[in-house]
């Protein structure tokens, strides 16, 4: 069963705290993504990973970093979270960077 | 860099009507074009994709790609309230897929 999972699904943090969002996929997809989506808006690409330890900045990488040590896992880290990072974060994976993307259920992050 | 623009931003149609959503892109060299649908509070999900000029139909949904005019469209026949969602157009740009900002569709019963 093709699946992308995200943990946690909901998270409340205080400004300045560190945040770790985790994503997993069971399709052996090479490419994985982190997006954020603000109310009423489309998807903004934060980072793209083409394979293990092969990560590239997306359109809004400032304030974020990523880690991909295994093909099936991709983490998004917010060092010292800011209130403007309150958003819904989606992870996605695809066979390659120009193929259909499969999205996880999202993580709703609130930074107070 | 590929740019993807969608129109309209939002749309209200009566149940049973034909819905047409539009997307224009800037790079005709793109190979992959797709429509994604996102219901409220849910994740985006791929609806249909196409790799070459022409038309593709699946049930009530038809997509049409014209690379010469840089135009990509989605048509929904006999629109249903369950079709109410955010529709995202996507096209390849460089080594990644670029999404438009979406069209919010509301189908009124």
């Amino acid at each position: 069963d093709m699946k992308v999972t995200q943990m946690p699904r909901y998270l409340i943090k205080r400004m300045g705290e560190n945040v770790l969002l985790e994503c997993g996929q069971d399709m052996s997809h090479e490419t994985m993504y982190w997006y954020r989506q603000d109310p009423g808006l489309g998807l903004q690409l934060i980072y793209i990973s083409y394979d293990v330890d092969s990560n590239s900045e997306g359109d809004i990488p400032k304030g974020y970093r990523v880690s991909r040590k295994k093909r099936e896992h991709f983490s998004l880290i917010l060092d010292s979270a800011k209130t403007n990072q309150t958003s819904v974060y989606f992870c996605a994976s695809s066979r390659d960077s120009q193929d259909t993307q499969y999205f996880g259920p999202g993580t709703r992050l609130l930074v107070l | 860099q590929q740019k993807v623009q969608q129109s309209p931003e939002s749309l209200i149609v009566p149940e049973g009507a034909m819905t047409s959503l539009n997307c224009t892109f800037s790079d005709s060299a793109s190979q992959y074009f797709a429509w994604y649908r996102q219901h409220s509070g849910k994740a985006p999900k791929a609806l249909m994709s196409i790799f070459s000029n022409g038309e593709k139909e699946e049930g009530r949904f038809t997509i049409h790609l014209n690379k010469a005019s840089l135009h990509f469209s989605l048509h929904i026949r006999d629109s249903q309230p369950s079709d109410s969602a955010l529709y995202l157009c996507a096209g390849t740009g460089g080594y990644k897929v670029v999404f438009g900002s979406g069209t919010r569709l509301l189908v009124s019963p």
Side-chain angles (χ1 to χ4, degrees), chain B residues 52-69:
Chain B
S52 57
N53 274 338
E55 205 169 88
K56 185 175 179 180
E57 181 179 338
E58 289 182 6
R60 297 183 295 110
F61 298 87
T62 302
I63 56 176
H64 183 83
L65 175 64
N66 184 329
K67 287 191 177 184
S69 61

Side-chain angles (χ1 to χ4, degrees), chain B residues 23-49:
Chain B
C23 181
T24 57
F25 50 94
S26 60
D27 183 3
S28 62
S30 298
Q31 298 296 313
Y32 165 85
F33 296 87
W35 284 95
Y36 288 72
R37 182 168 70 178
Q38 183 180 22
H39 286 109
S40 182
K42 302 292 186 182
K45 187 173 181 181
L47 200 55
M48 291 176 73
S49 61

Side-chain angles (χ1 to χ4, degrees), chain A:
Chain A
D1 190 25
M2 299 188 293
K3 203 169 182 179
V4 178
T5 58
Q6 290 186 237
M7 291 292 288
R9 295 291 315 279
Y10 303 91
L11 189 60
I12 300 175
K13 287 286 191 178
R14 296 196 179 278
M15 192 169 61
E17 291 184 328
N18 297 333
V19 176
L20 173 64
L21 305 184
E22 309 223 58
C23 175
Q25 50 99 0
D26 62 1
M27 296 168 277
S28 296
H29 283 168
E30 284 186 356
T31 310
M32 296 186 74
Y33 315 77
W34 277 106
Y35 294 93
R36 66 176 280 177
Q37 186 176 42
D38 297 308
L41 298 180
L43 300 165
Q44 298 179 83
L45 179 65
I46 305 172
Y47 267 93
I48 180 172
S49 174
Y50 296 102
D51 211 331
V52 171
D53 284 331
S54 179
N55 308 317
S56 291
E57 295 181 345
D59 300 319
I60 53 162
K62 189 176 178 183
Y64 303 95
R65 61 184 173 94
V66 292
S67 175
R68 190 164 179 207
K69 298 301 182 185
K70 292 183 179 181
R71 179 171 278 194
E72 61 270 22
H73 289 128
F74 191 33
S75 301
L76 180 68
I77 301 114
L78 288 66
D79 294 314
S80 187
K82 299 172 181 53
T83 55
N84 62 7
Q85 292 178 308
T86 292
S87 189
V88 179
Y89 290 85
F90 286 104
C91 174
S93 73
S94 61
R95 192 171 46 185
D96 60 51
S97 61
Q98 301 185 43
D99 201 354
T100 297
Q101 294 184 25
Y102 296 84
F103 285 81
T107 294
R108 292 183 180 274
L109 172 65
L110 174 60
V111 183
L112 300 173

